[in-house]
Amino acid sequence: MSTAVAGEVDDDLWSAIGDPTRRRLLDLLLIEGDATATTLSQQLPVTRQAVAKHLGVLDRVGLVRATPAGREKRYRVDDAQLARAVAQLASVGATWDARLQRIKRIAEAIQRTRQD
């Protein structure tokens, strides 16, 4: 699992979330609670092997946890790591909102100067 100091963006985490198939897997797991690669692959246009690889990436960054279930593994979203990802996204969003507000103020000041 990747480690990042609180408040910093975890690139491994966001790289994992950046893939649309992995985001869809997270959605499915949040809806279903837990599932195997086989049951998840039945709901996606990819093979079971591809789903297993995507789940492995999500497991490495801590977004899902695998529990042995017979010959397969059952995957479940790690709520704490998902909350950490949401907090990072909110932080990044707030930073960009502040930057965009500053750009807006600069543009408005330039516009006022041109009008004078």
Side-chain angles (χ1 to χ4, degrees):
M1 182 170 91
S2 57
T3 58
V5 178
E8 289 183 14
V9 173
D10 183 337
D11 289 333
D12 291 339
L13 177 68
W14 289 102
S15 178
I17 293 173
D19 182 90
T21 300
R22 289 192 282 269
R23 287 194 306 273
R24 181 67 180 130
L25 285 169
L26 288 170
D27 287 341
L28 290 170
L29 288 170
L30 287 167
I31 291 166
E32 296 179 17
D34 68 348
T36 65
T38 300
T39 57
L40 290 167
S41 68
Q42 294 167 355
Q43 300 175 64
L44 295 168
V46 295
T47 65
R48 184 213 169 280
Q49 290 79 9
V51 168
K53 286 183 180 183
H54 283 296
L55 289 167
V57 171
L58 293 171
D59 188 34
R60 274 193 301 282
V61 298
L63 283 168
V64 299
R65 294 288 171 232
T67 305
R71 291 177 26 185
E72 290 202 79
K73 295 179 183 176
R74 294 199 70 79
Y75 292 88
R76 171 178 220 81
V77 173
D78 183 305
D79 294 333
Q81 186 72 334
L82 183 60
R84 183 172 161 257
V86 169
Q88 283 185 19
L89 180 59
S91 176
V92 168
T95 299
W96 276 101
D97 285 345
R99 289 174 182 163
L100 291 171
Q101 284 300 318
R102 184 165 185 255
I103 291 168
K104 180 182 176 188
R105 286 191 305 272
I106 292 168
E108 288 170 346
I110 292 169
Q111 185 67 27
R112 281 191 304 272
T113 302
R114 288 183 178 167
Q115 291 174 351
D116 292 339

